[in-house]
Amino acid sequence: MDETFEGASMRRTFHGETSSTPTHTRTADTRSTHTRTGTMHSESESGSEYVPRFDDYGDEHSVVPLRRMRSSQEALIPNDESDMDVITGWLYNGPLQRAKYEDFSTIDWIYESTKARHYKNDLRVQTHVGIKGRLQLLADSSKSWIVLLAVGVTMGLIATCISVSSQWLIDVKGGYCRTGFYLNRRFCCWNTDTVCVDWVTWSELFRVHWHWLDWLLQFIVFVFDAILFAGISTFLVTEYAPYAAGQGIAEIKTIMSGFMMRQFLGVRTLGIKCVGVVLSVASGLSLGKEGTMVHVACCCGNIYSRVFKKIKHNEVKRRELLSAASAAGISVAFGAPIAGVLFSLEQVSYYFPAKTMWRSLFCATAAAVTLKLLNPFRNGKLVSFQVTYDRTWDLFELWFFVAIGVICGIIGMLQNRLTLYLMEYRQHSVLKNFARGEVLVVALATACVSYMSVYLRADMVTLVSNLFTECTGQETDGLCSRGDRTGNVFSLLVTSVLRVLMTSVACGLAVPAGMFTPSMATGASIGRAFGMVVQTLYENHPTWRLFGACRPDVPCITPGVYALVGAASMLASTTRMTVTVVVIMFELTDALIYVLPIMLAVTVSKSVADAFGKDGYFESIIHLNGYPFLSMDQEYVLHGTSDELMVRVSEMTVVEANGETLESVLKLLRESSYSGFPVVKSKSSLVLVGYISRSDMAMVAERARVSSVYSNASPCCFSRGNIELPMAHAQMLDFRPWVDATPITISHGTDVNLVAEMFRELGVRYVLVVHHGALLGIITKKDIVRTVRLHSRNQARSEMPYVPVWLSSMVRQTHEPVQHRLPVFSSESRGL
């Protein structure tokens, strides 16, 4: 039962009244049993001591007159202690309380939702009727909108800085601007139509005139800058913020499901992520900055949410804002605010109430408007690869779009599996001790290979923009050259193969990395090459029946459209996103006429990729790292009952409701590593009374140990029944405020599919198995996750017996507990 992931539970919220719901947002009876008063009375005014009733944040808001002395339990905690949710005495009979969640644990969805309702109801009671009360309610409800507005504006600023600075560093590898060193090549040559005399290459600076020496000098500077930028990026990540590595979307999905990763959305991670992604993209590694914007946006949302106590102390409210904030990341990455909202709904959010969609749209719009006002590219575009088409497509081209979808579906699946295979290999090999060295070697190899090809040497944003752009009648060079069309097709296909390999290697490095742009670049290269082949067929055989719909006076085939379809297909096959990808491409082109070809190709690509496995790139990363995530999209058909899945009571440690002392509790905490303990009436009867988590028990016991009020012989009370205690027992330690007296229980023999649905739909962390009130065992979220993954692997293998062993081995999963795993590139595990 040594589990990391503790459970949530249904519980009585007030005086034994049970609230229930099939979802996270249960409705609860919010009637208060205490008489509320607007002010705190002093002892001299009342003649008796008033014991304050605290709200969920430790603030006094009502009092209950009790004609007794202050209890020893209340004396245990200092009056200025703010970490405790509520401190009351022996007459405690309010909502369940929780200590601060531990890192790598799961939140209690039901408790957090109930706490939010308590806050809202107390606020309504305290506010006076009239204009003042309405203004107070308006001020409270506006806090979330203020946070989202701040996130949107901040993301617009950050996206502008990242885009401008990364492009400048990319251009610095080839030269500098004579009129202003801070200008990139595009801005330096803004008003130049022919040769740009203001841009000076490094060979021109050193006055090198020999062609081979010119090439060698430029190559040396290109490789040196690539290694330098990659080295600085990995140093910052491994030394200061290991969580800044990678794309971060898989971890965000896990956090949205209720998992706690405290430093993942911190200020340091935000700063290192922004600086590191600029350096890693400028180094020439096959990585992009677009995917990392989601992590950056969630970091901003988490940081700004700390300003308001209402959001800071409620994990459900915070996750609602993080869902909305993630939309701003896609909005500034692709200039697509609508796609940002769909991305939040389709990919990131685990709990997405209707109000979150409106908040997501607001945040994404604020980010897009800010980016538009800043105009980082000085052309009115939100992103540099926005294009427009003035040509339509014909019905016969749908067959070619389907073919592109099939090809990109297979290649995307292979890229995902190769990437995961290399990631797992790093985790179990000596490479994990040399994270920095690996980055430098990969950067060196990538720079050497990329410099040999114009398609690899160009940054991926520029490459994608060029591949999307259609040729005009005046253009006869590069991709528009008819005489060298065969060479261009061959180069694009080779570029696609090398891009898949380099992306698979780079995605697991200790640098901030995104895989959206590399996947789009690969798909666009495939699509452009395919379109050029079709264009050649039409030009050589215009009388074929296949091209009967083409008009002789109008260009029939537009290779740029094929590149657009290929980019969408590749992105869909790697991420398994559908609607989001279609809307991204639509907002990039502003052409509604191309929605149907893109939808068809995306559907085919995802279907082909799903034939080899339902999990996309982010879900595979979750499984690889062993995060406790149950997908809301997949349906599980498991076999067995709760008896086969549970940890039996004979293998557990239980706590007696009224038979423990402080010494026995401390001993229990020292000798066991369980993350929670069932509370029973007696160890002989095993009649279930409740459940208490390890963190709550340890918090109360430790404070009692250092207090002068209690001794090791002080009895402990875990039962929440009405107990009359004489004054002689005033030193009894009360654990009842932290005992879940009504945990979710199931009968033995319950179908395991029903148990899995309870964990997924209710967000619970554990369920207790009972028989006629007697405890039989416990099932945690980790048990369900392990069972689901084992079933998924066996089912996938049985459905595809023809898949080679070497291919299926690429997706082997590790089940090492998350709390025992350091980041591969943390300062504790690096070796270089």
Side-chain angles (χ1 to χ4, degrees), residues 171-249:
D171 292 341
V172 161
K173 294 191 294 183
Y176 72 98
C177 185
R178 182 184 289 112
T179 58
F181 188 78
Y182 58 90
L183 296 175
N184 59 37
R185 183 167 185 170
R186 186 168 179 270
F187 289 157
C188 182
C189 307
W190 185 261
N191 295 321
T192 303
D193 296 330
T194 57
V195 179
C196 182
V197 296
D198 293 331
W199 185 259
V200 181
T201 64
W202 298 114
S203 59
E204 293 174 349
L205 175 65
F206 293 104
R207 298 181 180 179
V208 176
H209 302 291
W210 293 346
H211 177 71
W212 66 271
L213 193 57
D214 177 12
W215 183 91
L216 181 61
L217 179 60
Q218 292 293 126
F219 173 76
I220 292 175
V221 175
F222 184 87
V223 174
F224 175 78
D225 287 346
I227 296 175
L228 177 64
F229 297 155
I232 297 175
S233 179
T234 187
F235 173 78
L236 293 175
V237 169
T238 55
E239 186 69 22
Y240 299 107
Y243 283 140
Q247 191 160 235
I249 296 180

Side-chain angles (χ1 to χ4, degrees), residues 86 204 275 633 797:
V86 65
E204 293 174 349
V275 177
D633 301 328
R797 188 61 185 170

Side-chain angles (χ1 to χ4, degrees), residues 390-391 469-477 480 482 528 555:
D390 55 4
R391 302 173 186 171
T469 304
E470 61 180 271
C471 297
T472 60
Q474 294 78 18
E475 295 176 327
T476 57
D477 298 329
C480 299
R482 291 190 177 186
R528 184 81 183 207

